[in-house]
Amino acid sequence: TEVEGQLPTASAEAYKFRGYSEHGPNYLPGRLKADELMARLVQADSWARADKGRELTKAFTCKYSVDFMIDTFWWFFCHFFERSDLDQEKLFDRMAENYVKLFQAVDPSLKGSFFSRYC
């Protein structure tokens, strides 16, 4: 049974990757919402309490970061469960593109602090 506020558990093998989408990252499996997941990660870390915490949180939860994390999840999913070299190549290219956009979007004075925690 499901506990209030918790997501049902399932093995990764139970999910299917729907293939690379030219329109942006696929949804995460189950009922996971990437933006909510990213917000929980921020709360679990010391970012929100750190100097410049608001700016760090904004960068971590921006579209480029969320899209990067979603594609990263699916890249590893394909690597371990549904081998698809073409999909993985396309995912990796979009991950790189979003990482560069994220790098360009982060305030230069925050880059060191942000990316030392991000990766």
Side-chain angles (χ1 to χ4, degrees):
T1 63
E2 214 174 298
V3 176
E4 183 66 31
Q6 288 186 331
L7 298 172
T9 57
S11 174
E13 293 94 347
Y15 295 104
K16 290 280 183 200
F17 179 58
R18 295 179 179 214
Y20 179 83
S21 170
E22 297 289 338
H23 303 291
N26 297 47
Y27 292 106
L28 291 173
R31 293 182 293 164
L32 287 174
K33 293 186 174 138
D35 55 344
E36 292 175 10
L37 183 61
M38 299 292 273
R40 285 184 185 182
L41 290 172
V42 167
Q43 290 172 352
D45 196 323
S46 59
W47 284 20
R49 296 178 300 281
D51 186 35
K52 305 270 186 179
R54 184 174 301 177
E55 292 90 348
L56 291 169
T57 298
K58 184 178 175 183
F60 187 75
T61 58
C62 79
K63 179 181 177 4
Y64 305 131
S65 179
V66 172
D67 288 355
F68 175 82
M69 292 295 193
I70 293 170
D71 281 342
T72 300
F73 170 85
W74 286 117
W75 188 94
F76 278 101
F77 181 88
C78 289
H79 180 76
F80 289 108
F81 303 108
E82 283 185 28
R83 193 74 185 180
S84 172
D85 292 339
L86 182 58
D87 281 334
Q88 281 184 271
E89 184 178 324
K90 289 178 180 180
L91 286 167
F92 190 85
D93 288 346
R94 188 165 58 204
M95 288 163 52
E97 180 181 328
N98 279 313
Y99 192 84
V100 168
K101 288 178 182 177
L102 177 62
F103 186 81
Q104 292 171 335
V106 173
D107 184 299
S109 67
L110 299 174
K111 283 187 193 311
S113 178
F114 179 80
F115 286 102
S116 68
R117 290 179 168 135
Y118 193 79
C119 298

